[in-house]
Amino acid sequence: STPKAFTQTTIGKMPQVLQDTVNNYDPAKSYLLHGVTGSCKTRAAWLMFNRGWIHHYPKEAYFLTMRSLEQAIEDGFENRTHGKVIDKFISCAILVLDDLGKERLTQRMESDLFAIIDERTSNLRPTIITTNYNGQGLNDRFNNTETGTAIIRRLKDYFVISGTA
């Protein structure tokens, strides 16, 4: 379900760096879009997702806010389908995680987030992530700094990084 406002996204109103990222989007690559609140990261991710989803991956694609990911994980535990939920996000053709760092980072969430990012990057599955945080700011959000460091390393090694100040 697409937020109605996103369907009215005008690429020309985005910061130039995000316009360039959307215009040069390669659906085979992963992207990290970072910047302050209101800098059009989510709208850029939505445009990229739709280009990839519609033209390349029509059956297996998820655009999730971090709240939605948290809820899916919690529901998986409640329904005894946790492993299947995580596997669905690991194996789908394209995955967007919107607002990384705004979720409640419990030990379980950190572990699941690492599993998803680690396995997706290891298998070169395209992922688009938006965040307000830079590397250190994101790492500071993690309870286990080793997990945070490992996730950030994967983002730096496997993602095209684009963002605003």
Side-chain angles (χ1 to χ4, degrees), residues 96-114:
V96 175
L97 297 176
D98 185 37
D99 272 334
L100 177 64
K102 295 220 176 149
E103 67 284 350
R104 182 184 43 167
L105 281 170
T106 62
Q107 185 177 9
R108 173 83 267 155
M109 185 65 180
E110 288 181 12
S111 175
D112 289 344
L113 189 58
F114 175 78

Side-chain angles (χ1 to χ4, degrees), residues 12-33:
K13 293 183 178 179
M14 292 180 181
Q16 189 63 50
V17 66
L18 291 179
Q19 288 182 43
D20 294 344
T21 302
V22 170
N23 288 330
N24 297 312
Y25 171 62
D26 178 348
K29 294 181 179 179
S30 291
Y31 290 82
L32 175 70
L33 309 178

